[in-house]
Amino acid sequence: MDRELKCPHTYCEEEELRLEIDCSACPGDQDMRNRRCMSGIVQILSSEAVPQTVILKRHIHKRYRESALMPAREAARELAVLTRTKTLLEPASDRRCQTCSASTSNVAGNLRYMLLGDPITYMKDASAIARRVRATAGPANCDKGPECVETSLSQSTRGSEVS
């Protein structure tokens, strides 16, 4: 599954701002409970306007309103933070830090990858995500590895929910 894939979409504004997503070419379920569908919605919401309503359009349209959109909005905020963290950091001064699994940029990239792979699971269990990241970045090649991992986690909402 391409984690960066999202269906074509448009915004309409009548009584409210509405996001309409064309699901006709997508092979998956047209439902926010579908992780691929949710991933596309989260990508759109993380970089564009946040609507009051999302409509998934196929033969039968599905409409999601305010309360049903909260998980997608929270995941979109997390994705935006991770994208900024990954892209706005100054590059590491040496090659070892640039390629280290515990570097802030690499940890943010891994968190982003996990989020886009399954936004629903990612947002449900912060402690499992933090444990997984710590385990993956554990074998860092320097003493600062654990500190870099904790810095990355603290910049994301995953770290702020886990002690």
Side-chain angles (χ1 to χ4, degrees):
M1 175 179 104
D2 182 5
R3 285 171 159 77
E4 301 291 333
L5 186 66
K6 56 187 172 191
C7 293
H9 59 281
T10 57
Y11 281 90
C12 298
E13 188 170 12
E14 290 172 4
E15 296 132 25
E16 62 184 8
L17 185 60
R18 185 175 68 227
L19 171 62
E20 295 180 354
I21 301 174
D22 180 6
C23 301
S24 59
C26 188
D29 291 341
Q30 163 200 5
D31 194 311
M32 284 182 63
R33 292 174 291 189
N34 174 338
R35 64 184 177 152
R36 182 176 182 167
C37 188
M38 181 65 131
S39 180
I41 294 168
V42 166
Q43 287 181 69
I44 294 167
L45 296 180
S46 74
S47 61
E48 299 183 33
V50 178
Q52 286 82 26
T53 304
V54 171
I55 300 175
L56 303 178
K57 297 171 76 173
R58 201 178 267 169
H59 303 293
I60 297 174
H61 300 347
K62 288 189 177 179
R63 181 182 304 261
Y64 296 91
R65 297 199 185 268
E66 296 285 330
S67 62
L69 293 175
M70 287 310 296
R73 288 179 178 167
E74 291 171 12
R77 278 193 293 276
E78 175 76 1
L79 180 61
V81 167
L82 293 171
T83 301
R84 280 192 306 274
T85 299
K86 182 168 175 36
T87 58
L88 294 180
L89 290 174
E90 291 183 26
S93 58
D94 62 11
R95 180 91 175 126
R96 189 176 85 179
C97 285
Q98 291 173 357
T99 59
C100 180
S101 61
S103 72
T104 303
S105 177
N106 288 337
V107 170
N110 288 338
L111 286 168
R112 189 176 184 284
Y113 184 81
M114 285 188 259
L115 172 58
L116 289 175
D118 189 353
I120 298 163
T121 301
Y122 182 95
M123 295 306 291
K124 280 184 182 175
D125 195 355
S127 59
I129 296 298
R131 280 193 307 274
R132 190 167 155 197
V133 167
R134 287 180 183 115
T136 303
N141 295 333
C142 72
D143 295 334
K144 289 183 67 177
E147 180 183 328
C148 290
V149 170
E150 295 309 317
T151 299
S152 301
L153 287 172
S154 68
Q155 291 176 351
S156 76
T157 59
R158 301 298 87 192
S160 64
E161 297 172 8
V162 178
S163 54

